[in-house]
Amino acid sequence: MDWNTMLSYDWGAMMPEFIILGTTIILSILDLFWPKHFNRRKLAWLALTGIILACLSLISLLSFETVSILSDTFRLDSFAKAFKLLLLFGAALIILLAEGYEPQEGLREHRGEFYYLFLTALLGAMIMSSSGDLITLFVGLELLSLSSYILVGIRKHDRKSNEASMKYVINGGISTAITLFGMSYLYGVTGSVNLGEMSRTMAGMTDGQLQYIMGLAFFMVFVGVSFKIAAAPFHMWAPDVYEGAPTPVAAFLSVISKMAGFVIILRLFLSLFLTASGDTFGALDFLDKNNIYIASLAGLTIIIGNVIALRQLNLKRMFAYSSIAHAGYLLVAVATLGGGYFLLDTVWFYLMAYVLMNIGVFAVIQLLSSQSGSEDISVLAGLGRKSPYLAMAFTIFILSLAGIPGTTGFIGKLNIFLGTFITEPGHFVLAGIMIAGTIVSYVYYFGLLVQVFFRPIHSEKVIKIRPGLYAVLIICVMGTILLGVAPNIAFDFIHDQFGDFTDFISSK
């Protein structure tokens, strides 16, 4: 590729990624050369500035038509724009969460590394959102994964953190190997790594013998990605990793990392296994015949996540299983995607709701656990009398996670629930499992509220909230209520800016 060809590309499409990359380099250099006595907490504001600038540059690109550069390996289409906005928004909240983190050990001495490793992981997730071929997708996945492994074990003198990091590396390596194995079959069958070319080749296949190979590739990729999103029965790493990781890292894993996992699923499945042609071997026919596997995994994930959460006394372990259950709800939406692309806005809205309510919960957990040195549910005891406003914020997040009307979590679940009836044939069993799982979740979610309002005060120590955490709580509370009362604001924004994702469809 000559120099003139490189200059001919519209590099402005990658401006958000360039800004994040530049901020990461600046942070790493500053952390390396600044004296040890310098307070690295201030680097959070530089990281946040980089994220805000990247978000502003992305907003300026929303009105642009689909841009494809580097031989269609990088695409800025409606799908990429929509999910990058979510990734950057969630990342900004987590940076504010990390700025207010005051641990006994860990980020206190390695805070500088946290910020640029976090931005590196974010960069990987953003690259995955715009991936136009398997190689770019895999590079983004590994950039996210390797940074995540280090972040989980950043408290290198803590035994739980060491154990969590080791389990995460082992399980992550297994999932990566399985995913790559499935991708190799896709490449072997189609002779290309470009998603558009692969989809066109698959749509024209008439040899029934290839269906077995495609089924194996579909199965391997889906199993590998299921590790990443902590879907049962591939969830075994999540509770230990959430418990051992610093709270901002646990929040990152529950939101950004999980969102990136669903980006892989949607990019691959909608690009390769869904097409307008159902008369040939065609992917629409393939996905309709095989989405029973996605539906089964979704139901199993909802059941296991909610049932095992009932027995948890550690807050981060409880919300790890809660996160597993919510991955199940999102998989229900994926299982019904064969009914039409318009369900992409359902997935986007649910992920937005999940960002708001889950980061809000982790903000409260961080405040209480940093003060008491414990992550047991007992730290919530008496919070309603000790700090009424904080208790009210926590209650709003819990009600949203439980799916109570008037919150964004309810709207998200309702949209997915209704989607189970839209598809033909309807997924009525999944709808029933969603209802049953939601009811079971009331037990452990409302058990936390019992601690907040009906138990004696755990500690009389005054809770000090840093400005960054104040901002996180306010944004999450307002977003959870506003999008619960007026969800049309989000859906109108999606339809105005991204339409029905037709440019994503036409990329095939």
Side-chain angles (χ1 to χ4, degrees):
M1 185 178 295
D2 58 35
W3 184 249
N4 291 329
T5 303
M6 293 290 291
L7 291 177
S8 68
Y9 290 135
D10 186 0
W11 293 106
M14 293 188 70
M15 187 54 65
E17 284 79 6
F18 288 144
I19 292 174
I20 295 297
L21 176 61
T23 306
T24 303
I25 294 172
I26 293 172
L27 285 170
S28 61
I29 292 174
L30 290 177
D31 182 56
L32 178 64
F33 290 104
W34 269 350
K36 289 186 177 180
H37 61 79
F38 181 81
N39 186 1
R40 261 64 175 176
R41 188 194 297 273
K42 296 177 182 178
L43 294 177
W45 302 111
L46 178 57
L48 181 62
T49 301
I51 292 173
I52 292 173
L53 290 176
C55 192
L56 292 174
S57 69
L58 180 61
I59 292 172
S60 70
L61 295 171
L62 292 181
S63 59
F64 283 41
E65 297 295 328
T66 299
V67 178
S68 174
I69 61 175
L70 298 173
S71 301
D72 202 33
T73 60
F74 185 93
R75 291 182 57 84
L76 186 67
D77 51 23
S78 57
F79 179 92
K81 295 171 188 174
F83 285 91
K84 282 181 189 178
L85 277 178
L86 275 185
L87 288 167
L88 289 169
F89 176 65
L93 292 178
I94 292 173
I95 284 291
L96 290 173
L97 202 66
E99 192 277 336
Y101 187 50
E102 296 180 348
Q104 304 296 324
E105 181 269 338
L107 289 189
R108 183 183 300 276
E109 53 182 293
H110 304 293
R111 192 179 294 272
E113 287 93 328
F114 171 85
Y115 297 123
Y116 58 77
L117 285 171
F118 173 77
L119 290 184
T120 303
L122 173 64
L123 179 62
M126 292 173 67
I127 290 174
M128 288 161 59
S129 300
S130 285
S131 296
D133 68 14
L134 294 181
I135 294 177
T136 311
L137 192 69
F138 187 74
V139 169
L141 175 62
E142 285 306 286
L143 193 59
L144 169 68
S145 299
L146 293 174
S147 301
S148 301
Y149 301 152
I150 303 172
L151 286 172
V152 169
I154 201 167
R155 296 188 299 182
K156 60 182 182 181
H157 301 301
D158 185 271
R159 291 183 62 184
K160 284 187 176 181
S161 185
N162 293 337
E163 177 188 354
S165 183
M166 180 61 70
K167 288 182 177 179
Y168 196 25
V169 168
I170 292 172
N171 283 278
I174 293 171
S175 69
T176 298
I178 295 172
T179 304
L180 195 58
F181 187 49
M183 287 180 176
S184 70
Y185 271 42
L186 292 173
Y187 169 70
V189 169
T190 61
S192 174
V193 293
N194 182 272
L195 297 180
E197 294 179 9
M198 293 170 72
S199 179
R200 289 188 287 272
T201 302
M202 289 168 58
M205 288 179 181
T206 56
D207 186 356
Q209 295 289 334
L210 293 175
Q211 188 158 5
Y212 296 104
I213 299 178
M214 295 307 301
L216 180 60
F218 172 84
F219 176 76
M220 298 296 282
V221 170
F222 185 53
V223 168
V225 177
S226 294
F227 274 97
K228 299 295 184 184
I229 63 174
F234 313 108
H235 66 285
M236 69 292 291
W237 59 271
D240 289 334
V241 170
Y242 278 50
E243 182 180 4
T247 305
V249 177
F252 156 75
L253 293 174
S254 71
V255 175
I256 304 297
S257 183
K258 190 176 295 293
M259 196 186 306
F262 278 98
V263 164
I264 298 178
I265 291 177
L266 295 173
R267 266 288 180 192
L268 284 180
F269 289 3
L270 297 191
S271 293
L272 303 182
F273 297 106
L274 194 64
T275 121
S277 174
D279 297 327
T280 62
F281 170 73
L284 177 59
D285 182 54
F286 181 87
L287 191 61
D288 278 348
K289 288 181 178 178
N290 292 276
N291 70 358
I292 183 63
Y293 301 114
I294 303 176
S296 300
L297 201 70
L300 184 65
T301 303
I302 292 172
I303 293 170
I304 289 179
N306 283 314
V307 170
I308 301 183
L310 295 171
R311 302 288 296 172
Q312 303 305 311
L313 297 178
N314 181 284
L315 282 170
K316 287 203 290 190
R317 289 186 73 89
M318 178 182 291
F319 282 100
Y321 283 107
S322 167
S323 176
I324 292 167
H326 284 276
Y329 299 135
L330 280 163
L331 281 175
V332 172
V334 175
T336 60
L337 278 170
Y341 286 89
F342 63 89
L343 289 175
L344 273 173
D345 57 7
T346 297
V347 176
W348 191 93
F349 183 89
Y350 196 92
L351 286 170
M352 168 61 83
Y354 190 68
V355 166
L356 291 168
M357 55 195 181
N358 216 51
I359 292 181
V361 161
F362 274 102
V364 177
I365 293 175
Q366 175 177 300
L367 275 171
L368 299 178
S369 61
S370 296
Q371 171 192 282
S372 63
S374 171
E375 295 171 352
D376 191 86
I377 61 172
S378 61
V379 299
L380 294 169
L383 183 63
R385 289 188 292 275
K386 181 179 178 181
S387 180
Y389 293 113
L390 187 60
M392 186 58 63
F394 184 75
T395 302
I396 291 170
F397 302 140
I398 292 298
L399 293 179
S400 185
L401 285 165
I404 299 301
T407 63
T408 185
F410 169 75
I411 301 298
K413 283 185 181 178
L414 180 64
N415 289 330
I416 294 176
F417 180 77
L418 294 176
T420 61
F421 297 97
I422 294 175
T423 53
E424 293 292 341
H427 293 267
F428 304 115
V429 175
L430 272 183
I433 292 175
M434 279 192 69
I435 294 174
T438 300
I439 292 173
V440 171
S441 71
Y442 291 166
V443 178
Y444 61 88
Y445 283 140
F446 293 162
L448 298 178
L449 298 185
V450 169
Q451 292 285 334
V452 171
F453 294 105
F454 301 104
R455 293 291 182 267
I457 295 177
H458 176 265
S459 171
E460 296 289 349
K461 190 175 180 181
V462 176
I463 300 175
K464 296 180 181 179
I465 306 178
R466 292 185 60 85
L469 278 174
Y470 258 126
V472 171
L473 291 170
I474 292 172
I475 292 171
C476 290
V477 166
M478 292 179 63
T480 300
I481 295 175
L482 180 62
L483 296 184
V485 176
N488 58 296
I489 295 175
F491 285 111
D492 289 345
F493 172 76
I494 296 171
H495 296 150
D496 291 343
Q497 297 296 332
F498 313 119
D500 55 0
F501 295 88
T502 50
D503 59 340
F504 177 50
I505 300 170
S506 62
S507 69
K508 305 182 302 176

